[in-house]
Each structure stands twice: as C-alpha cells, then as structure tokens.
Amino acid sequence: MLTRKTSEPFWWLLFAAGGMVAALLVPVHLLVQGLAVPLGWTSISHARMLALAAQPLVKLYLFALIALPLYHWAHRFRFILEDLGLRGLRTPIALLSYGAAVLGTVATLWVLWRI
Amino acid sequence: MTVPRVERPGLYYPKLPATWWLRNANYFRFMLRELSSVFIALFLVVFLIQLHRLPQGPGAYAAYLETLRAPGWIIFHVLALAFALYHSVTWFNLTGVVQVVHLGERQVPPRLVVGASFALWAVVSVVLLWFLLRG
Amino acid sequence: MPGDDGYQHDLLVIGGGGAGLRAAIAAAEESNRLSIAVLSKVYPMRSHTVSAEGGTAAVMRENDSLDTHAKDTIFGSDFLADQDVVEVFVKEAPGEVIRLEHWGCPWSRDPDGRVSVRPFGGMTVNRTLYAADKTGFHMLHALFQTSLKYERITRYDEWFATSLLLEDGKVCGVTALNLHDGQMRPIVAKAVIMCTGGAGRIFPFTTNAAIKTGDGMALAYRAGVALKDMEFVQYHPTGLPGTGILITEAARGEGGHLKNKDGYRYLQDYGLGPPTDTPVHRKMELGPRDILSRCHIQEHQKGRTFDGPDGHYVHLDLRHLGEKLIDKNLPFVRELARNYVGIDPVHEPIPVRPVVHYMMGGISTDITGKTSLDGLYAAGEAACVSINGANRLGSNSLTELLVFGARAGRAAARHALERPTLRSNPLAQLASDERRRLDQRFLRADGREKIADIREEMQKAMESGCGIYRDRATMEGTCQTLRKLRERFAHISLADKDAIFNTELIAALELECTLDVAETVARSALAREESRGSHTRTDFPKRDDARFLKHSLAYRTPDGPRIEYLPATITRWPPEERKY
Amino acid sequence: MTEETMTLEVTRYRPGHDREPRTESFTVPYRKDWVVLDALNHIKDRIDGTLSYRWSCRMGVCGSCGMMVNGVPKLTCAAFLRDYRPGPIRVGPLANFPVIRDLVIALDDFMEKLRRVKPWIIRAVEKPVADGEYLQTPAQLDAYKQFSMCINCMLCYAACPVYGLEPAFVGPAAIALAYRYNLDSRDEGYRLREPVLSEAVGVWECTFVGECSVVCPKGVDPAAAIQRSKLAGATDWLLSMIMPWGGRR
C-alpha cells in the first residue's frame, strides 16, 4: 500500500484531473441529459446512443468523464468531513471516500465493457 | 496522524467549532464549492445507470428516461446544474492562480490564464453541445 | 530555550534588529565554540530596521570610489565624523552588502542582473542599493531568516533587559524580565553587545516605532559609559503630517519635487539650485536632510507653506514620475500615502513636513564597537562610532549596522573566547534584588503620576527646546522640565500588578530610559555653542571649529549629565565650509 | 459641545484569574484619522493601563498589531475607525492562536515552523564575497518577490480554519516563505525543504479555503504558494514513479 507521504500526491493528481474534467464537461451533459431530454426540449434516440457508446473512443471519453470526477468528489468529501471537525476519524474517512471512488471506477469499467 | 498539541498552563486555547464555515461569507462559499462535488458525483452515478440500461434494450432505457421526468429529478438536476456551473467558475478562477504559465522569461498574468480557461470551456461546451444534439 | 543550568552564554546581544542579528551571525561565524544569545523586547522581525525604506550605501560601480563615499559622508557630517572610522566603513561596506545579497536579500536589479543603485541625498554618485522602497524590511528579514540556520544562536524573544550586571568593573551579563511569565532572571555572558536602536520616542513627532525608547543607551549610561554626540538629532524632511510616517528620500532620489503652497520648488531660494527636471546629485531635493529640514522651517516663516490640522506642510510631488515607475520603485510610498492620508501620489502631491528620524549620537564606541566598559560593545543606531558626525547621510545607517554590527560581533566574540567562564551563582541574588527594586518602585507604590502624562510633557519639552532651531533660553527650560519630570517619575503609579505580559510595567521602564536619554540630548545641545549639521542654534549661527570640532560625551551624575569632549579625528579631509 | 465617541468591545483575558476570555466595553473619542490601534492606545493611556496588546511601527510593516476586528483578522494600525461607524467595534486576539493575555497571542508555534522550512539560501557551493553578487535578472527577481513580502503578522493563520482545526499544520506564511526560497534563482535547497512541505501536515493538509490570501495585508497570496507547491510535489512524485532515475531534478 502507498504510504501517506507518497499517496497524497497520487490522490491529489486524480482530484485535480477530476476537477478539470468536471469543470469542462459536466455542465453541458447535465444540461442536455438532466434537463433538455427529460423536459422534452430535445431527444436522443436509443439507437443513436447505443451506436455512439459502442465506439472505443467514446468509451474512453465516458470513462474519463465519469471515473475521474469521482476522485474529485472523494477528495473534497473527505476534507469536508475533516473540516467539520471529524479529525479523529481521518483514516476511516479517507478509506471510505477513496474506496467508494475506486468502486465507482470498477463499476464504470464494467458498465462500459458490457455495452 | 494528528499530533496532539501540548497545552501550556495559563494560556487560553480557543476551539474552532464545527460551524466555523457559517462565520463569514467566504467560508460559506468555500463550503458550497466543496459541496458541488457531491452533486456532480451524484449526476454521474445517474448517468452511469443510464448507460447501464442502454444494452438492456429500448424499453428499459425509455423506462429509465421516464423516471427522470419526475419533478423530484428535475429539481435535483436544476440544483446539480447550478452547482456544476459554480464548480466550473471557481475551478477556472483558482487554476489561474495555481498554474503558472511562462511565455519566454515573463510570467503570463493570472488574469489572462483565467480568461483563456473560460474561453476553452466555452469552446468545449459548444462542440459538445453540437455533437450531442446534431442527430 | 535555556536549560536548567540557568541562562549562561558566551555572548549576549541585546536587540534583534539589523545590527543585533548581524553581530550574532558574525560571532557565530567567528567561532563555532561560542554560545550566542539574542535578547529582544520584541520578536526580531518586529525591530525598527523593518521600517527603513530607501536603501543602503556602498561603492559598487566603476564610476564610484571609496574616497568619494568617504568624502560625501564626512562633508555631510559637517566634519564631525571620525575620518579613520569612515575610511573603514566605506571599505567594508561593499563586502557587507554583497554578503547580504548571498543571504537572499531581494535587491532590485539592473537588466544585466547586477544589483541596482539609485541617487540619495548628499551623495555625489548613484551608490544606494535598494529593494524597491522596503529595503530595511527585506534586510531585516534576510538577516533574521539567515540567523535561524545557526543552532548556536539562542533567542530570548520578548525579554526586556533592565540592567547590566558588573563584576570587578567588567560586564558579566544582564538582568532581564521575561514578558511571558513576568520573571526576572540573570543572563550571564562574557560579552554583551547593545544593539537596541535609537530613541526617537523622546520626541512627540517621529518616524520611529513605539519601541524606540533608547533602552540600551540608558543601560550603558547608567553603567558609566558615555553617550556621545547626543545633541545631533536628525529631522527627516518628508514625513506625513499627523502620524509622522516616513516617506522615503528615495522618492526624491527617483525625481520627486518639493513644492511650497505656490507650487514653487522653493529649495532654489536656499542655495541648492538651480532646479532641473532630472535630479542632480547634491542639488535641490537631493540636498542633505539637515539643510532641507531647515529650508522647510524658513519657508514656513515666510508664510509659504500649507496649513493643516496637523501643522504646516509642503508638497512632495511625484506625479511627473508616472504610475509605472512609482509602482516599480516606490510601491510602499504609494501604499502609505493612500492608506494614511488618502492620497494617490500618481495623481496628487503628498503632504510632508520634517519629522524626527534618527539619533546621530549614542553609546560611545571605538572602531571595533568596544565601549569604555570591559565586555560591553555597541552597534547600530544605539551606538556612536562616529561615522555620522553632526548629520547622517541617508542610506548610510543600514550600511552602518551591517559593517559595525559585524565588527562588534567579531570583537565581542574574540573577547568572550579569551575570558574565563563566569559563575552565575552570586548573580541570581542580583536578579532578585533587581526584581525587588522594580516591585518597590512600580508595583507597590501608591503614587499618583501617570505614565502618559510624564511622557507627553517630556516630548513637548524636547520639541520646544531641541527642535530644528535651538537657543539657550528654551533649552534651559527643557533641561529644567526634564529634571522635574524625573522627580515626578518617582511617584508613578501602575494599574497593572500582574506578572504575565505586563506592558504597563514595560512602558514605565521605557519611560525611565527615555528620560535619561532626553536629558543627555538637551544638556549636550545646551553646551554646544555653535551650529553644526543638525544642531542649529539661533544664538550661535556659525560653525565654530576652534571651540567645537570635537565630540560631546555625556556622563551620568546624580545631578544630571556631565558633558566632556573628545577631539574629532581628522586624517585626509581638513574641515572646509559646507556648501552644496 | 459634546465630543463624538465610539464604543470598542475588547476581549480581555487575565491568565490565572479568568477561565476564559470575556468582553469589556470602552468608549473612546471618535477621530476620523484614528485607527483601531490609536483607540487602544487611548484606552491604555487614559482609561485602563492594564490592557495588554502588541504594537510598534504603526505603519503596517512590523507585523505586531494583528487582531480580530469585527471577526476579521486585521492590522489594527491600518483599520480606521471611520470604516466601522457607528460601531461598536469588536476587537479580539487573533483567532486560532493560544491567548497569553488580553489581545496578546502566543506565536512560538509559528517561530518553530518557520525554522523548520529552512527560510534561508541553501547552496552546494557558496560564492566567495570577493567574487561579487550572484547575478539575478529583474524577471528572476519578480518570480519570487511577491512571496518575500510576508511580514509574519499571522493574519493568514488566524483566517485559516485548517490551522484552527489542526495546529500541527505548517500553515500559510511558513509555506509561502519556503516557496519563496524555492523560487529564488540563487537557491538550491528545494530537496531539503521538500520533506517538510510534503509531510502529513504540510501542503497536503490545505483545502484551499483561500481566506489567507484575502486577509493578507501585503498581497503575498500564500494560498497560491501552497497550491503551486502541491503541483510541484505531485509532478515530482509522478516523475519519480515513471522515470527510471526517479525524477530527481
């Protein structure tokens, strides 16, 4: 396992990458998939979605889009809890947060694999 | 990991309460900024489930889309979009401070770096929007 | 921090400003066998060196020479500087500023990477190195941070030295009060260096920080050491009205103009002309400080200054320099003017008036920083090694604290190495005696006098008697007032009886020091019946080399200072009329 | 004629007598050119000589007089009464520090941390003084100048919730000064400072609240120094992982 000294830069790099991906890409996806499609302003057919998602390059894109911001979340969530005074539980909080992100990564890989 | 502080007698050691972030507007905005990551992550989980429904056929996929039409989900997505935008704005403002860009010997002023980040965001968003909506 | 075996060192520096830190580092480099301590009533980076702005003088360029720097300094001093000391000073100056560069001081640079130099008042060439207009701040922090790498330098931060300990006529340490616990302790040392700065706070209107109360001068004076040339008090011509905050001479070095209320560059009426657009060395605004301050008063007497709620003032106009130059070389001037008088010098002229700035006099030392008391050394503004004479040139004081801080550090280190180890046991008794003296004096007394009242009256008396222009009658009045205040001080009452961080007790101790120092200033000034440099008497308007080409020495007696004299050393520059 | 006045609510703490700080109100004359420090001096000289606080240069450069003014860390020599009218003004000791007495805080913790980050020029070989200065272009000077402006006033620590929660955190000013030397073209000490900055309570502890840079009276921007140190540390780590020679630079 990574020691604390070397693991911090590792998680921080993932956090930074995730933050950048989230800042650049997430708003548009949210607008289209979260609001435009459900409210009927536009529609994307199942066939087109499936065709798109089956392409390897798009899969790579989707992987980055979903997995990296999970580390961004994990990092910030960990420090929110610490900043709220849960310093005594630092190690379990870190394990839980980053663990969830790793799980999410595995899940993303599995979902994309099956498409 | 936390090293307990040795307290000297006579001194008064103030304790920072867990509600410190309600003490000033900047702290509160910081907390909102950090909280944005939760909404972004939740949206991505929703998206992941949507992708999971994709190979299960048009029926399952449509059913899932139908769930997202519920007012609760709409409210969630409005909120999430607001947080996502807040994240983007704060992120680009801050990266301008963190990332030192040099042109030759001179440092590019952070304001220019920030401006360039926002321009990049706009271009990427437009391209993405065109790609998603063209069919 | 000190161990259980007490507070024993080879070398003790009192004061953690530029001179004190330079001395401590010099001693640490002189020998790695020495235990060195720096004791200061404030954390070192709070010392007043931090407020110096304009720069530090040293011969750095091909168009300059040691002789010119020496001559400018001696001429500026109105021939009261000791010329052998000045020669050593200018010779060692370049090495010292380079050493500071090696220690990280962020000197402003020329495009080719060399340290930049700017013009300064009374200098014939550009020889003032600078770090924008925060030179003192950067020098102090570079020295302080560099001092941190020497593990053998122990610090006593926020300790106040209350007396020198003597044994068989030799200095063997101090008694000092630790502000944090209120305890008085003896700190034993084979050599003590006083680097406690000046005493501008004997005046009401000064650029000096609150801490500049002449503590080290008073301690040495009480131990029998003479205070030399105390009558010479420098007024800086450009302070902000009201607060007395310094607007650096560099503002004029960069090309700023002094204008009266008619917008006229009045200095041309006082033999400093002709006015030119670009600054000319030693002319107009680049004249020496004593002359410029007198011009201001005369201009006021002609009714050509502005009148404000904080007294008369003139304008320092920087507008023609442009925003770019001001932001590059004078950013602190802009910051101070904006914050404290609400004026942006890019668009408006800054109101300025003369303000007490520097004590040329101080603890009398020889060329190595040694005093007449065995084991006691001094450097910086607290000392008078006699390079400044009757008027210091701007930017020589930062250099002085480097050159003579280092010299005192080395000399004291050698002295400490030669001296046998001292025993601290009998000294503990002395410390408890000192504690008892303070308690009786301040904490148990049921007096009626307030610190602030005595301080204000002292300051008023000093301003009226020992200002820019002086005469016998008012100075005699000042001397009498100071005597009376001394009696009143005996009846002082403190509200604060606590031990921990008792700043009122410190204020009382400081006040006692300022009273001692103020008296030496007034009595030395009264005795000097001539006008020389910063000491200008309306009843003796001419310089009198026949009677007064000599240093005054003020010795303590129960009835006030006794004044003696010591001839000034003249080597290669015979006195001549001082004209710019 | 009645004089205009203002009320100061000052935090008092008397060690050995008070178990925790309390507030005391003082009425002082209002002058438009007075700063909070002038009002405190008025209290000390004329109303209550027992009030304890630090001050010295009263021109914003010695760093002594930092206090909480209405809950915000400020240099009291630069906080004008006129900006807080009609009052009252709350004046307290800097937050997050142990209080020695009244408005005086203990800063030995910072002094120790400052020494630990080695804020001095480190070189493999020192140039003899006789060989003159190290050359440094104005651009090389500009690279670190901003971070050399720190006056150690401690306002950044008082603004930092991370320091409030974790006193072992090296903190804004000390990291900014370490960064200042790392950026100096004359310095070769990066490798020696790196372990302090990358330790458990070094740069990684910072969550970039950013308030340190907001309250800094000298425009140092310690938050930027910390984030850039993280970036440098992470880049180093990455190189050490993927490069056969371990990414030494």
Side-chain angles (χ1 to χ4, degrees):
Chain A
M1 189 59 199
L2 296 162
T3 66
R4 173 151 182 132
K5 192 186 151 183
T6 55
S7 69
E8 287 292 355
F10 172 74
W11 297 120
W12 186 82
L13 279 172
L14 285 175
F15 151 80
M20 187 52 94
V21 166
L24 272 179
L25 308 175
V26 164
V28 168
H29 282 282
L30 240 166
L31 181 68
V32 173
Q33 293 147 226
L35 293 172
V37 172
L39 291 175
W41 303 342
T42 181
S43 65
I44 308 169
S45 71
H46 175 257
R48 176 157 185 265
M49 267 308 263
L50 194 59
L52 265 178
Q55 292 176 30
L57 267 181
V58 174
K59 276 190 183 176
L60 196 67
Y61 169 83
L62 288 173
F63 177 69
L65 173 68
I66 296 172
L68 285 175
L70 290 182
Y71 294 92
H72 171 251
W73 161 80
H75 193 75
R76 282 192 158 168
F77 188 66
R78 167 189 164 208
F79 279 108
I80 289 178
L81 293 187
E82 288 189 10
D83 284 348
L84 289 177
L86 300 175
R87 300 226 138 213
L89 303 172
R90 300 190 66 151
T91 313
I93 287 172
L95 284 174
L96 213 76
S97 309
Y98 294 131
V102 171
L103 260 166
T105 309
V106 174
T108 310
L109 279 174
W110 180 72
V111 167
L112 292 175
W113 180 259
R114 282 165 40 101
I115 293 177
Chain B
M1 210 60 72
T2 307
V3 190
R5 168 165 61 178
V6 184
E7 300 202 346
R8 284 188 285 144
L11 269 60
Y12 173 74
Y13 289 83
K15 301 272 175 288
L16 194 63
T19 54
W20 61 267
W21 49 280
L22 294 171
R23 280 185 180 176
N24 96 25
N26 288 339
Y27 290 159
F28 187 71
R29 279 195 287 270
F30 157 78
M31 215 32 123
L32 287 185
R33 185 189 90 197
E34 301 296 293
L35 207 60
S36 68
S37 66
V38 175
F39 285 85
I40 290 169
L42 284 176
F43 162 71
L44 292 170
V45 170
V46 170
F47 187 25
L48 189 62
I49 297 171
Q50 191 180 337
L51 289 175
H52 175 63
R53 294 275 180 261
L54 210 47
Q56 295 172 356
Y61 185 68
Y64 186 69
L65 287 189
E66 192 54 39
T67 349
L68 293 186
R69 287 173 175 276
W73 279 111
I74 297 293
I75 291 169
F76 164 76
H77 278 122
V78 169
L79 216 62
L81 179 62
F83 272 108
L85 289 172
Y86 190 60
H87 167 72
S88 299
V89 170
T90 52
W91 186 266
F92 293 128
N93 277 332
L94 293 178
T95 42
V97 171
V98 179
Q99 186 67 57
V100 185
V101 182
H102 285 277
L103 260 186
E105 252 212 328
R106 287 280 158 190
Q107 190 188 323
V108 179
R111 288 223 318 264
L112 272 182
V113 180
V114 171
S117 318
F118 276 104
L120 177 72
W121 181 33
V123 170
V124 167
S125 299
V126 168
V127 169
L128 207 56
L129 210 55
W130 170 79
F131 193 81
L132 286 170
L133 299 182
R134 79 188 151 140
Chain C
M1 283 310 282
D4 294 337
D5 55 335
Y7 302 79
Q8 192 146 3
H9 301 278
D10 296 306
L11 188 69
L12 174 64
V13 182
I14 313 285
L21 293 169
R22 184 65 192 93
I25 295 172
E29 293 194 331
E30 181 73 14
S31 160
N32 55 16
R33 289 188 289 127
L34 289 171
S35 151
I36 299 155
V38 176
L39 179 148
S40 172
K41 65 177 174 178
V42 292
Y43 281 94
M45 66 276 182
R46 314 293 188 218
S47 309
H48 190 59
T49 305
V50 84
S51 304
E53 296 174 19
T56 180
V59 173
M60 297 296 285
R61 294 292 163 90
E62 302 70 33
N63 66 347
D64 201 355
S65 74
L66 298 180
D67 275 7
T68 343
H69 189 189
K71 178 154 193 221
D72 287 347
T73 302
I74 290 161
F75 205 76
S77 81
D78 222 347
F79 291 90
L80 197 62
D82 283 344
Q83 298 183 2
D84 54 338
V85 184
V86 173
E87 289 197 63
V88 159
F89 166 71
V90 299
K91 188 160 160 264
E92 293 180 9
E96 282 297 326
V97 296
I98 289 169
R99 196 167 276 116
L100 209 63
E101 194 277 335
H102 289 192
W103 289 341
C105 186
W107 298 120
S108 292
R109 304 283 178 155
D110 284 357
D112 64 3
R114 291 190 300 170
V115 292
S116 301
V117 282
R118 65 166 40 136
F120 236 70
M123 303 278 190
T124 36
V125 288
N126 293 6
R127 68 162 68 95
T128 297
L129 290 79
Y130 57 100
D133 54 357
K134 287 196 176 177
T135 311
F137 160 77
H138 284 299
M139 283 176 57
L140 180 69
H141 281 252
L143 282 167
F144 173 57
Q145 289 165 7
T146 300
S147 81
L148 294 175
K149 75 179 174 191
Y150 298 93
E151 303 243 330
R152 278 171 299 114
I153 301 179
T154 305
R155 283 207 327 275
Y156 296 86
D157 295 333
E158 302 196 312
W159 286 56
F160 190 96
T162 63
S163 73
L164 280 167
L165 291 172
L166 301 179
E167 206 171 51
D168 306 329
K170 290 180 178 152
V171 168
C172 55
V174 298
T175 55
L177 191 68
N178 179 355
L179 263 81
H180 291 233
D181 63 9
Q183 297 302 305
M184 179 79 71
R185 292 193 179 86
I187 299 176
V188 178
K190 297 186 217 172
V192 171
I193 312 178
M194 282 294 174
C195 302
T196 50
R201 285 274 157 173
I202 60 178
F203 287 87
F205 185 62
T206 172
T207 60
N208 283 196
I211 53 175
K212 292 198 64 185
T213 48
D215 312 335
M217 291 180 183
L219 256 50
Y221 177 63
R222 289 171 200 163
V225 181
L227 298 186
K228 191 204 285 173
D229 288 340
M230 292 302 284
E231 61 271 42
F232 299 104
V233 175
Q234 179 164 78
Y235 276 75
H236 195 291
T238 59
L240 294 181
T243 54
I245 288 171
L246 172 68
I247 298 298
T248 172
E249 190 164 308
R252 286 171 280 130
E254 297 289 341
H257 294 157
L258 285 173
K259 293 174 175 172
N260 67 15
K261 71 174 181 182
D262 307 319
Y264 173 70
R265 290 173 69 189
Y266 59 92
L267 293 175
Q268 59 191 290
D269 294 356
Y270 301 90
L272 286 161
T276 48
D277 286 342
T278 47
V280 174
H281 292 109
R282 304 182 1 134
K283 294 289 175 197
M284 292 299 289
E285 285 83 3
L286 287 181
R289 291 173 178 177
D290 54 341
I291 295 178
L292 261 56
S293 295
R294 282 195 291 274
C295 293
H296 176 100
I297 301 296
Q298 290 181 35
E299 199 65 5
H300 170 62
Q301 284 160 353
K302 292 177 190 163
R304 300 201 300 212
T305 54
F306 296 92
D307 266 311
D310 299 306
H312 47 88
Y313 63 89
V314 293
H315 274 159
L316 174 61
D317 194 346
L318 307 182
R319 289 174 293 184
H320 54 286
L321 303 180
E323 186 166 8
K324 210 173 144 197
L325 181 84
I326 291 175
D327 280 348
K328 178 165 169 276
N329 287 344
L330 303 166
F332 195 37
V333 166
R334 193 175 186 191
E335 180 187 326
L336 290 170
R338 275 177 162 173
N339 285 353
Y340 291 97
V341 284
I343 274 174
D344 184 348
V346 171
H347 304 295
E348 284 171 278
I350 311 169
V352 291
R353 58 172 299 196
V355 51
V356 169
H357 184 54
Y358 186 87
M359 312 275 302
M360 266 68 75
I363 302 166
S364 178
T365 75
D366 71 5
I367 202 164
T368 67
K370 193 168 150 353
T371 72
S372 59
L373 187 59
D374 198 26
L376 184 68
Y377 297 76
E381 194 182 348
C384 180
V385 65
S386 289
I387 63 153
N388 300 314
N391 174 63
R392 175 176 70 83
L393 288 191
S395 74
N396 266 352
S397 67
L398 288 177
T399 316
E400 178 184 359
L401 63 80
L402 293 174
V403 170
F404 293 100
R407 285 190 145 244
R410 287 193 295 266
R414 285 194 287 270
H415 176 84
L417 286 169
E418 286 161 14
R419 218 171 143 188
T421 305
L422 305 168
R423 298 191 53 81
S424 64
N425 295 351
L427 298 171
Q429 180 61 41
L430 292 175
S432 60
D433 290 351
E434 175 72 357
R435 173 83 243 182
R436 208 164 304 123
R437 182 181 76 85
L438 293 195
D439 286 352
Q440 276 164 2
R441 180 136 216 186
F442 300 117
L443 296 186
R444 290 190 202 146
D446 42 356
R448 302 166 314 278
E449 297 288 352
K450 289 201 111 187
I451 294 177
D453 293 337
I454 296 180
R455 184 169 58 216
E456 276 169 24
E457 284 187 43
M458 170 193 70
Q459 291 173 339
K460 218 181 326 164
M462 290 305 287
E463 187 172 53
S464 71
C466 299
I468 295 176
Y469 285 98
R470 304 164 170 182
D471 66 57
R472 175 186 298 278
T474 46
M475 277 192 286
E476 280 176 345
T478 299
C479 289
Q480 279 169 14
T481 309
L482 292 175
R483 275 281 111 184
K484 276 187 208 132
L485 290 175
R486 181 168 291 287
E487 285 162 29
R488 284 174 58 188
F489 182 79
H491 301 285
I492 206 158
S493 124
L494 298 192
D496 195 342
K497 318 276 188 211
D498 282 354
I500 294 172
F501 230 93
N502 187 333
T503 49
E504 200 185 19
L505 175 59
I506 298 299
L509 293 167
E510 288 174 336
L511 178 59
E512 197 177 16
C513 292
T514 52
L515 284 170
D516 277 345
V517 173
E519 218 172 3
T520 64
V521 172
R523 291 292 276 267
S524 305
L526 183 61
R528 184 174 289 272
E529 296 178 328
E530 63 158 353
S531 289
R532 182 188 297 271
S534 68
H535 175 71
T536 311
R537 289 190 57 160
T538 49
D539 46 355
F540 296 95
K542 288 263 176 326
R543 193 173 88 190
D544 186 348
D545 284 345
R547 287 177 68 206
F548 286 105
L549 187 57
K550 56 192 183 183
H551 305 293
S552 67
L553 295 174
Y555 288 94
R556 185 168 197 253
T557 77
D559 310 315
R562 178 184 83 240
I563 308 297
E564 294 182 8
Y565 290 95
L566 180 75
T569 308
I570 309 291
T571 58
R572 291 157 53 200
W573 294 274
E576 53 179 284
E577 195 193 350
R578 180 167 169 248
K579 280 196 80 163
Y580 285 90
Chain D
M1 197 184 102
T2 55
E3 199 181 28
E4 230 184 310
T5 60
M6 244 178 134
T7 301
L8 259 66
E9 292 174 355
V10 183
T11 306
R12 305 295 305 264
Y13 172 70
R14 206 176 154 204
H17 297 266
D18 297 333
R19 286 198 46 206
E20 51 183 49
R22 62 203 155 78
T23 303
E24 198 171 335
S25 287
F26 298 97
T27 305
V28 300
Y30 168 76
R31 309 251 157 82
K32 83 172 180 4
D33 56 346
W34 266 19
V35 291
V36 171
L37 179 61
D38 292 319
L40 292 174
N41 285 338
H42 175 85
I43 295 170
K44 179 139 192 101
D45 285 350
R46 299 291 162 204
I47 305 174
D48 184 350
T50 67
L51 182 65
S52 290
Y53 51 96
R54 295 186 178 104
W55 71 288
S56 182
C57 77
R58 49 79 179 98
M59 57 191 278
V61 70
C62 79
S64 307
C65 69
M67 295 170 210
M68 304 299 282
V69 179
N70 281 356
V72 179
K74 288 271 181 199
L75 293 180
T76 50
C77 72
F80 284 86
L81 296 185
R82 59 174 182 255
D83 297 332
Y84 295 92
R85 289 186 82 195
I89 306 177
R90 284 177 292 119
V91 184
L94 283 180
N96 302 333
F97 288 94
V99 182
I100 295 176
R101 174 178 174 175
D102 293 345
L103 302 165
V104 180
I105 51 114
L107 57 116
D108 10 0
D109 173 58
F110 168 74
M111 300 304 279
E112 180 48 39
K113 284 169 180 163
L114 183 64
R115 188 194 283 262
R116 259 176 45 214
V117 300
K118 304 186 196 301
W120 52 80
I121 296 282
I122 298 170
R123 290 184 66 91
V125 183
E126 287 193 31
K127 186 172 173 175
V129 167
D131 294 354
E133 74 256 49
Y134 300 117
L135 295 182
Q136 184 169 65
T137 64
Q140 287 172 323
L141 172 66
D142 281 346
Y144 71 87
K145 183 81 193 247
Q146 171 190 13
F147 301 103
S148 73
M149 304 305 280
C150 171
I151 60 173
N152 304 354
C153 65
M154 303 290 104
L155 300 197
C156 53
Y157 284 79
C160 175
V162 176
Y163 182 62
L165 294 160
E166 176 56 80
F169 175 40
V170 177
I175 295 175
L177 280 164
Y179 186 63
R180 168 246 178 279
Y181 282 95
N182 284 343
L183 286 180
D184 195 317
S185 60
R186 297 167 288 187
D187 183 79
E188 298 166 351
Y190 177 82
R191 285 283 149 216
L192 292 171
R193 288 183 203 104
E194 210 269 336
V196 187
L197 296 189
S198 65
E199 69 187 356
V201 283
V203 293
W204 304 111
E205 198 71 6
C206 167
T207 49
F208 205 175
V209 177
E211 192 68 357
C212 52
S213 299
V214 174
V215 301
C216 176
K218 298 289 137 183
V220 172
D221 203 351
I226 300 175
Q227 311 321 309
R228 289 179 200 167
S229 298
K230 285 184 194 168
L231 190 60
T235 312
D236 269 12
W237 174 86
L238 201 60
L239 286 176
S240 72
M241 289 289 122
I242 58 179
M243 295 294 182
W245 58 88
R248 301 265 157 220
R249 58 175 183 190

